[in-house]
Amino acid sequence: MSDAPAYGFDTLQIHAGAKPDPATGARQTPIYQTTGYVFRDADHAAALFNLQEVGFIYSRLTNPTVAVLQERLATLEGGVGAVCCSSGHAAQIMALFPLMAPGCNVVASTRLYGGTITQFSQTIKRFGWSAKFVDTDDIDAVAAAIDENTRAVFCESIANPGGYVTDVRALADVTDAAGVPLIVDNTTATPYLCNPIAKGATLVVHSTTKYLTGNGTVTGGAVIDSGKFDWSASDKFPSLSAPEPAYHGLKFHETFGGLAFTFHGIAIGLRDLGMTMNPQAAHYTLMGVETLSLRMQRHCENAMTVASWLEQDDRVDYVTYAGLESSPYYERAQANYPKGAGGLFTFAVKGGYDACIKLVDSLEIFSHVANLGDTRSLIIHSASTTHRQLSPEQQEAAGAGANVVRISIGLEDSADLIRDLDQALAKASS
């Protein structure tokens, strides 16, 4: 089908990028479980390897099943192309790889998933890169943090774990003025609730492991390119604007225009870093995306019901859900996320660290896991797990203090979830 703008989200999440298999007529996208592809002849092979023709070479780079998922995600996010990879963490490195060089930095939100903070504050130092962490609600502070060596600003649309809502448009105005790309992790919101590219983002990253797949079966990541950034406007991004030695001096932006980042992600990123998504993972994710809008509606409805109940409970200090009128992000969520504030938030338990641990251990329906975005409701005490490597000050800034638990609300009956939390809170407060 043609992915024309006239098609609605629900139609595109099922059909975009896919067509009946030409060999068998199979309606569902097949799992192309193959590493290699037969070339028509020597000239065909040479053209593919020289980026003169688009096609399948080797499954570390491209695979037909993965290609369908890439096109579908690009369509849903309003981008021109996408690169899928092995995990959300891989997607973050894939997004930064064409932009950064030794001595360069990324300005990052303080409100990020703990693993991302560790990756940015520790791991990327081994590449000679660095990160500056700034409260992205303070737009002036973000602008002040950008210097001549800054190559990107990074944030989450709805931040994990606290469910904080980011003003993407305000950040995009700052990055546009500075001539650097804005990278938005849209994992928690998904393209159903938020479209960062429409709000000015340059790149969107996902852990497809979460809501896009939706069933906790496979890991994966994706980088979606808006196609709108001028990589040749300055000398800051030579990987995309300058001659590439590995391809005989080819200039990605000059040659591929709006698809420069996508082609670089495949031809250089996946080729050399090898963070490949396997075709079975792509297949599971494609099946999950087909019901994304339906699931997100239920996630949001259940989250609102549970958050409202928790807010009234005397055993709870506060709830961070942006769908609540008491949230400082309520108006921003209403304006920017009219379909809902997502299914993820935190709440603080009276009794602090010990009460949180007892609560987590007492739940019966909620699963104690590190994942989120599952059909099942999930809970974790971030300070002792996902954010354990951070200092207490970093934990507080990220919304993962010692007295806080994160919950990812699933698709169960909300009354059952409330009963489960009620009995666990009773044990935690005894």
PDB file of all heavy atoms in Angstrom, residues 259-281:
ATOM      1  N   LEU A 259      18.205  11.435   3.527  1.00  0.00           N
ATOM      2  CA  LEU A 259      18.427  10.076   4.020  1.00  0.00           C
ATOM      3  C   LEU A 259      19.882   9.822   4.427  1.00  0.00           C
ATOM      4  O   LEU A 259      20.270   8.685   4.666  1.00  0.00           O
ATOM      5  CB  LEU A 259      18.015   9.059   2.947  1.00  0.00           C
ATOM      6  CG  LEU A 259      16.508   8.802   2.830  1.00  0.00           C
ATOM      7  CD1 LEU A 259      16.192   8.084   1.515  1.00  0.00           C
ATOM      8  CD2 LEU A 259      16.016   7.977   4.008  1.00  0.00           C
ATOM      9  N   ALA A 260      20.667  10.885   4.520  1.00  0.00           N
ATOM     10  CA  ALA A 260      22.089  10.729   4.814  1.00  0.00           C
ATOM     11  C   ALA A 260      22.331   9.997   6.121  1.00  0.00           C
ATOM     12  O   ALA A 260      23.158   9.072   6.191  1.00  0.00           O
ATOM     13  CB  ALA A 260      22.760  12.103   4.861  1.00  0.00           C
ATOM     14  N   PHE A 261      21.617  10.379   7.182  1.00  0.00           N
ATOM     15  CA  PHE A 261      21.839   9.753   8.482  1.00  0.00           C
ATOM     16  C   PHE A 261      21.446   8.282   8.442  1.00  0.00           C
ATOM     17  O   PHE A 261      22.143   7.425   9.002  1.00  0.00           O
ATOM     18  CB  PHE A 261      21.041  10.482   9.562  1.00  0.00           C
ATOM     19  CG  PHE A 261      21.433  10.085  10.956  1.00  0.00           C
ATOM     20  CD1 PHE A 261      22.337  10.832  11.675  1.00  0.00           C
ATOM     21  CD2 PHE A 261      20.903   8.952  11.550  1.00  0.00           C
ATOM     22  CE1 PHE A 261      22.723  10.462  12.960  1.00  0.00           C
ATOM     23  CE2 PHE A 261      21.274   8.563  12.823  1.00  0.00           C
ATOM     24  CZ  PHE A 261      22.190   9.315  13.530  1.00  0.00           C
ATOM     25  N   THR A 262      20.344   7.968   7.786  1.00  0.00           N
ATOM     26  CA  THR A 262      19.884   6.586   7.702  1.00  0.00           C
ATOM     27  C   THR A 262      20.887   5.717   6.953  1.00  0.00           C
ATOM     28  O   THR A 262      21.237   4.618   7.400  1.00  0.00           O
ATOM     29  CB  THR A 262      18.507   6.516   7.023  1.00  0.00           C
ATOM     30  OG1 THR A 262      17.575   7.280   7.790  1.00  0.00           O
ATOM     31  CG2 THR A 262      18.016   5.082   6.925  1.00  0.00           C
ATOM     32  N   PHE A 263      21.361   6.199   5.806  1.00  0.00           N
ATOM     33  CA  PHE A 263      22.338   5.422   5.038  1.00  0.00           C
ATOM     34  C   PHE A 263      23.641   5.259   5.814  1.00  0.00           C
ATOM     35  O   PHE A 263      24.252   4.189   5.789  1.00  0.00           O
ATOM     36  CB  PHE A 263      22.591   6.078   3.679  1.00  0.00           C
ATOM     37  CG  PHE A 263      21.656   5.615   2.600  1.00  0.00           C
ATOM     38  CD1 PHE A 263      20.480   6.302   2.346  1.00  0.00           C
ATOM     39  CD2 PHE A 263      21.927   4.475   1.865  1.00  0.00           C
ATOM     40  CE1 PHE A 263      19.598   5.872   1.372  1.00  0.00           C
ATOM     41  CE2 PHE A 263      21.055   4.033   0.884  1.00  0.00           C
ATOM     42  CZ  PHE A 263      19.879   4.733   0.626  1.00  0.00           C
ATOM     43  N   HIS A 264      24.061   6.299   6.503  1.00  0.00           N
ATOM     44  CA  HIS A 264      25.271   6.197   7.305  1.00  0.00           C
ATOM     45  C   HIS A 264      25.080   5.183   8.430  1.00  0.00           C
ATOM     46  O   HIS A 264      25.981   4.381   8.721  1.00  0.00           O
ATOM     47  CB  HIS A 264      25.641   7.560   7.894  1.00  0.00           C
ATOM     48  CG  HIS A 264      26.972   7.588   8.570  1.00  0.00           C
ATOM     49  ND1 HIS A 264      27.179   7.092   9.848  1.00  0.00           N
ATOM     50  CD2 HIS A 264      28.185   8.048   8.146  1.00  0.00           C
ATOM     51  CE1 HIS A 264      28.436   7.252  10.178  1.00  0.00           C
ATOM     52  NE2 HIS A 264      29.085   7.823   9.167  1.00  0.00           N
ATOM     53  N   GLY A 265      23.898   5.180   9.044  1.00  0.00           N
ATOM     54  CA  GLY A 265      23.626   4.242  10.124  1.00  0.00           C
ATOM     55  C   GLY A 265      23.747   2.789   9.694  1.00  0.00           C
ATOM     56  O   GLY A 265      24.161   1.929  10.474  1.00  0.00           O
ATOM     57  N   ILE A 266      23.380   2.523   8.463  1.00  0.00           N
ATOM     58  CA  ILE A 266      23.469   1.156   7.945  1.00  0.00           C
ATOM     59  C   ILE A 266      24.865   0.863   7.395  1.00  0.00           C
ATOM     60  O   ILE A 266      25.507  -0.115   7.773  1.00  0.00           O
ATOM     61  CB  ILE A 266      22.410   0.931   6.847  1.00  0.00           C
ATOM     62  CG1 ILE A 266      20.996   1.015   7.449  1.00  0.00           C
ATOM     63  CG2 ILE A 266      22.611  -0.418   6.158  1.00  0.00           C
ATOM     64  CD1 ILE A 266      19.889   1.045   6.427  1.00  0.00           C
ATOM     65  N   ALA A 267      25.338   1.745   6.509  1.00  0.00           N
ATOM     66  CA  ALA A 267      26.578   1.478   5.773  1.00  0.00           C
ATOM     67  C   ALA A 267      27.825   1.608   6.638  1.00  0.00           C
ATOM     68  O   ALA A 267      28.848   0.978   6.353  1.00  0.00           O
ATOM     69  CB  ALA A 267      26.682   2.425   4.573  1.00  0.00           C
ATOM     70  N   ILE A 268      27.760   2.417   7.698  1.00  0.00           N
ATOM     71  CA  ILE A 268      28.900   2.582   8.601  1.00  0.00           C
ATOM     72  C   ILE A 268      28.559   2.026   9.989  1.00  0.00           C
ATOM     73  O   ILE A 268      29.281   1.186  10.527  1.00  0.00           O
ATOM     74  CB  ILE A 268      29.310   4.065   8.729  1.00  0.00           C
ATOM     75  CG1 ILE A 268      29.630   4.659   7.359  1.00  0.00           C
ATOM     76  CG2 ILE A 268      30.489   4.201   9.690  1.00  0.00           C
ATOM     77  CD1 ILE A 268      30.867   4.102   6.702  1.00  0.00           C
ATOM     78  N   GLY A 269      27.449   2.492  10.552  1.00  0.00           N
ATOM     79  CA  GLY A 269      27.095   2.106  11.912  1.00  0.00           C
ATOM     80  C   GLY A 269      26.916   0.611  12.106  1.00  0.00           C
ATOM     81  O   GLY A 269      27.617  -0.020  12.905  1.00  0.00           O
ATOM     82  N   LEU A 270      25.987   0.022  11.376  1.00  0.00           N
ATOM     83  CA  LEU A 270      25.758  -1.418  11.516  1.00  0.00           C
ATOM     84  C   LEU A 270      26.917  -2.229  10.958  1.00  0.00           C
ATOM     85  O   LEU A 270      27.263  -3.282  11.497  1.00  0.00           O
ATOM     86  CB  LEU A 270      24.449  -1.812  10.821  1.00  0.00           C
ATOM     87  CG  LEU A 270      23.159  -1.361  11.501  1.00  0.00           C
ATOM     88  CD1 LEU A 270      21.950  -1.796  10.688  1.00  0.00           C
ATOM     89  CD2 LEU A 270      23.055  -1.896  12.926  1.00  0.00           C
ATOM     90  N   ARG A 271      27.509  -1.741   9.896  1.00  0.00           N
ATOM     91  CA  ARG A 271      28.642  -2.473   9.311  1.00  0.00           C
ATOM     92  C   ARG A 271      29.783  -2.613  10.311  1.00  0.00           C
ATOM     93  O   ARG A 271      30.380  -3.686  10.461  1.00  0.00           O
ATOM     94  CB  ARG A 271      29.142  -1.746   8.058  1.00  0.00           C
ATOM     95  CG  ARG A 271      30.256  -2.478   7.311  1.00  0.00           C
ATOM     96  CD  ARG A 271      31.008  -1.546   6.371  1.00  0.00           C
ATOM     97  NE  ARG A 271      31.765  -0.531   7.108  1.00  0.00           N
ATOM     98  CZ  ARG A 271      32.454   0.459   6.527  1.00  0.00           C
ATOM     99  NH1 ARG A 271      32.462   0.570   5.209  1.00  0.00           N
ATOM    100  NH2 ARG A 271      33.122   1.337   7.256  1.00  0.00           N
ATOM    101  N   ASP A 272      30.108  -1.511  11.016  1.00  0.00           N
ATOM    102  CA  ASP A 272      31.303  -1.505  11.855  1.00  0.00           C
ATOM    103  C   ASP A 272      31.031  -1.787  13.327  1.00  0.00           C
ATOM    104  O   ASP A 272      31.873  -2.367  14.012  1.00  0.00           O
ATOM    105  CB  ASP A 272      32.013  -0.160  11.731  1.00  0.00           C
ATOM    106  CG  ASP A 272      32.573   0.056  10.328  1.00  0.00           C
ATOM    107  OD1 ASP A 272      32.694  -0.930   9.578  1.00  0.00           O
ATOM    108  OD2 ASP A 272      32.879   1.217   9.982  1.00  0.00           O
ATOM    109  N   LEU A 273      29.866  -1.375  13.832  1.00  0.00           N
ATOM    110  CA  LEU A 273      29.533  -1.637  15.228  1.00  0.00           C
ATOM    111  C   LEU A 273      28.829  -2.974  15.407  1.00  0.00           C
ATOM    112  O   LEU A 273      28.919  -3.590  16.469  1.00  0.00           O
ATOM    113  CB  LEU A 273      28.667  -0.505  15.794  1.00  0.00           C
ATOM    114  CG  LEU A 273      29.303   0.888  15.808  1.00  0.00           C
ATOM    115  CD1 LEU A 273      28.302   1.922  16.314  1.00  0.00           C
ATOM    116  CD2 LEU A 273      30.557   0.901  16.655  1.00  0.00           C
ATOM    117  N   GLY A 274      28.102  -3.412  14.388  1.00  0.00           N
ATOM    118  CA  GLY A 274      27.498  -4.745  14.402  1.00  0.00           C
ATOM    119  C   GLY A 274      26.353  -4.925  15.378  1.00  0.00           C
ATOM    120  O   GLY A 274      26.063  -6.049  15.798  1.00  0.00           O
ATOM    121  N   MET A 275      25.650  -3.847  15.736  1.00  0.00           N
ATOM    122  CA  MET A 275      24.549  -3.928  16.711  1.00  0.00           C
ATOM    123  C   MET A 275      23.246  -4.321  16.013  1.00  0.00           C
ATOM    124  O   MET A 275      22.219  -3.630  16.095  1.00  0.00           O
ATOM    125  CB  MET A 275      24.379  -2.590  17.425  1.00  0.00           C
ATOM    126  CG  MET A 275      25.613  -2.130  18.178  1.00  0.00           C
ATOM    127  SD  MET A 275      25.379  -0.440  18.781  1.00  0.00           S
ATOM    128  CE  MET A 275      26.870  -0.180  19.716  1.00  0.00           C
ATOM    129  N   THR A 276      23.243  -5.445  15.384  1.00  0.00           N
ATOM    130  CA  THR A 276      22.175  -5.825  14.464  1.00  0.00           C
ATOM    131  C   THR A 276      20.940  -6.366  15.176  1.00  0.00           C
ATOM    132  O   THR A 276      21.051  -7.122  16.135  1.00  0.00           O
ATOM    133  CB  THR A 276      22.707  -6.892  13.488  1.00  0.00           C
ATOM    134  OG1 THR A 276      23.892  -6.399  12.863  1.00  0.00           O
ATOM    135  CG2 THR A 276      21.674  -7.246  12.440  1.00  0.00           C
ATOM    136  N   MET A 277      19.757  -5.978  14.691  1.00  0.00           N
ATOM    137  CA  MET A 277      18.510  -6.598  15.134  1.00  0.00           C
ATOM    138  C   MET A 277      18.298  -7.880  14.336  1.00  0.00           C
ATOM    139  O   MET A 277      18.423  -7.887  13.102  1.00  0.00           O
ATOM    140  CB  MET A 277      17.317  -5.661  14.927  1.00  0.00           C
ATOM    141  CG  MET A 277      15.967  -6.310  15.254  1.00  0.00           C
ATOM    142  SD  MET A 277      14.536  -5.235  14.999  1.00  0.00           S
ATOM    143  CE  MET A 277      14.568  -4.273  16.506  1.00  0.00           C
ATOM    144  N   ASN A 278      17.972  -8.977  15.034  1.00  0.00           N
ATOM    145  CA  ASN A 278      17.750 -10.218  14.298  1.00  0.00           C
ATOM    146  C   ASN A 278      16.320 -10.261  13.744  1.00  0.00           C
ATOM    147  O   ASN A 278      15.408  -9.608  14.272  1.00  0.00           O
ATOM    148  CB  ASN A 278      18.047 -11.433  15.183  1.00  0.00           C
ATOM    149  CG  ASN A 278      17.030 -11.621  16.280  1.00  0.00           C
ATOM    150  OD1 ASN A 278      15.908 -12.069  16.023  1.00  0.00           O
ATOM    151  ND2 ASN A 278      17.387 -11.297  17.510  1.00  0.00           N
ATOM    152  N   PRO A 279      16.098 -10.996  12.660  1.00  0.00           N
ATOM    153  CA  PRO A 279      14.796 -10.978  11.981  1.00  0.00           C
ATOM    154  C   PRO A 279      13.644 -11.484  12.843  1.00  0.00           C
ATOM    155  O   PRO A 279      12.512 -11.014  12.698  1.00  0.00           O
ATOM    156  CB  PRO A 279      15.011 -11.859  10.748  1.00  0.00           C
ATOM    157  CG  PRO A 279      16.243 -12.648  11.027  1.00  0.00           C
ATOM    158  CD  PRO A 279      17.086 -11.805  11.913  1.00  0.00           C
ATOM    159  N   GLN A 280      13.894 -12.422  13.748  1.00  0.00           N
ATOM    160  CA  GLN A 280      12.802 -12.904  14.599  1.00  0.00           C
ATOM    161  C   GLN A 280      12.364 -11.808  15.568  1.00  0.00           C
ATOM    162  O   GLN A 280      11.170 -11.644  15.827  1.00  0.00           O
ATOM    163  CB  GLN A 280      13.219 -14.161  15.360  1.00  0.00           C
ATOM    164  CG  GLN A 280      12.064 -14.794  16.109  1.00  0.00           C
ATOM    165  CD  GLN A 280      12.319 -16.245  16.471  1.00  0.00           C
ATOM    166  OE1 GLN A 280      13.223 -16.862  15.934  1.00  0.00           O
ATOM    167  NE2 GLN A 280      11.524 -16.789  17.368  1.00  0.00           N
ATOM    168  N   ALA A 281      13.320 -11.066  16.100  1.00  0.00           N
ATOM    169  CA  ALA A 281      12.969  -9.943  16.967  1.00  0.00           C
ATOM    170  C   ALA A 281      12.149  -8.908  16.205  1.00  0.00           C
ATOM    171  O   ALA A 281      11.168  -8.356  16.726  1.00  0.00           O
ATOM    172  CB  ALA A 281      14.230  -9.303  17.541  1.00  0.00           C
TER     173      ALA A 281
END
